[in-house]
Amino acid sequence: MFAGQYYCKIDEKGRFVVPSPIREEIETHGNSLMFLKGQDMPVSAYTNPEWAKILENAKQSLDEDQRRLFMYHMVSEASASEMDKAGRILIPGRFRKLVPVDEDQEVVLVGMFHRLEVWNPSEWRRFVHINEDTFEHSMSKIQSLL
């Protein structure tokens, strides 16, 4: 399970050092991540077992036309990246373009249970700010879960 927010510096090749809690989760589940374009955010990343669950779920729950669209628009765009011995992982090139890196060369990883989201820090702060009212409105329901 992924949780928390982690600010990571990106090197000139597009790699970042994976924070320890995330590194342990990745190592436990195959040592790589599958990157794909996210729904509401620029990029999502899944461990191998989570990606396999998504593929199986697509086979089971989508009809033939929907599966074909899923394959053409999601699976064909996905890209795997393996963590190296130094604990770095490369954000594939086309996905780095979706997360425009500011001059400080930083991204924020956001743990979302079964996946990671990769954000530009400015965009992440803007997203959180825009959704503060919705969060405040739902706070009592959210607090009941804790």
Side-chain angles (χ1 to χ4, degrees):
M1 181 187 86
F2 296 115
Q5 299 175 38
Y6 305 90
Y7 288 80
C8 303
K9 291 284 186 190
I10 300 290
D11 69 13
E12 66 282 347
K13 294 182 181 178
R15 301 173 299 190
F16 63 89
V17 175
V18 179
S20 297
I22 293 174
R23 185 180 308 174
E24 292 170 13
E25 187 73 14
I26 294 169
E27 288 171 342
T28 302
H29 294 100
N31 217 41
S32 68
L33 291 174
M34 183 64 71
F35 287 87
L36 63 149
K37 188 175 184 301
Q39 267 185 310
D40 299 322
M41 83 304 300
V43 177
S44 294
Y46 298 87
T47 62
N48 291 337
E50 286 298 328
W51 181 240
K53 285 180 194 175
I54 290 168
L55 295 176
E56 187 58 34
N57 190 29
K59 284 186 211 175
Q60 300 299 322
S61 62
L62 301 176
D63 66 33
E64 187 175 330
D65 290 336
Q66 292 168 331
R67 277 194 303 273
R68 190 175 5 250
L69 289 172
F70 175 76
M71 297 296 280
Y72 291 149
H73 294 281
M74 300 298 290
V75 177
S76 70
E77 295 291 323
S79 184
S81 188
E82 192 154 326
M83 191 164 49
D84 67 15
K85 292 182 189 324
R88 298 173 301 194
I89 201 154
L90 174 74
I91 301 173
R94 68 177 172 271
F95 295 109
R96 283 195 305 274
K97 292 175 185 170
L98 296 173
V99 185
V101 179
D102 295 333
E103 57 193 48
D104 61 0
Q105 296 293 303
E106 192 173 54
V107 295
V108 59
L109 304 178
V110 181
M112 301 295 290
F113 302 120
H114 67 287
R115 73 174 186 269
L116 287 171
E117 293 181 356
V118 183
W119 288 79
N120 168 292
S122 301
E123 292 298 317
W124 171 245
R125 286 187 291 275
R126 186 176 337 203
F127 177 81
V128 169
H129 178 72
I130 289 170
N131 288 288
E132 281 179 352
D133 290 340
T134 304
F135 178 73
E136 289 295 323
H137 179 71
S138 302
M139 190 58 169
S140 63
K141 177 80 171 183
I142 293 168
Q143 287 290 353
S144 70
L145 297 173
L146 303 175

